[in-house]
Amino acid sequence: MDYVSALLPPAVMAAFFIGVVRVIVKTQGGANMAKEDAAVDAALARAEAARGKASTPEA
């Protein structure tokens, strides 16, 4: 019975990892690509704006 408890965590982690990889592969490109690209562009623009405000010296 010890071998079952020893093999269960790696088997569960392997199944979870395979599931995550499948989701990542399925969501690449396709109809959602433009929406995802727009979300990333918006996040980068917000980060750049925040960095610009933070680096501006207050005189």
Side-chain angles (χ1 to χ4, degrees), residues 1-2 6 12 15-16 19 25 31 35 37 41 43-45 47-48:
M1 200 62 176
D2 289 336
V12 170
F16 179 73
V25 169
K35 184 171 65 173
D37 288 347
D41 289 341
L44 289 174
E48 286 293 322

Side-chain angles (χ1 to χ4, degrees), residues 3 10-12 19 22-25 27 30 36 40 43 46 52 54-55:
Y3 65 89
V12 170
R22 290 186 69 198
V23 167
I24 290 171
V25 169
T27 58
E36 291 171 359
V40 170
R46 283 193 303 270
S55 65

Side-chain angles (χ1 to χ4, degrees), residues 2-12:
D2 289 336
Y3 65 89
V4 173
S5 62
L7 291 177
L8 188 59
V12 170

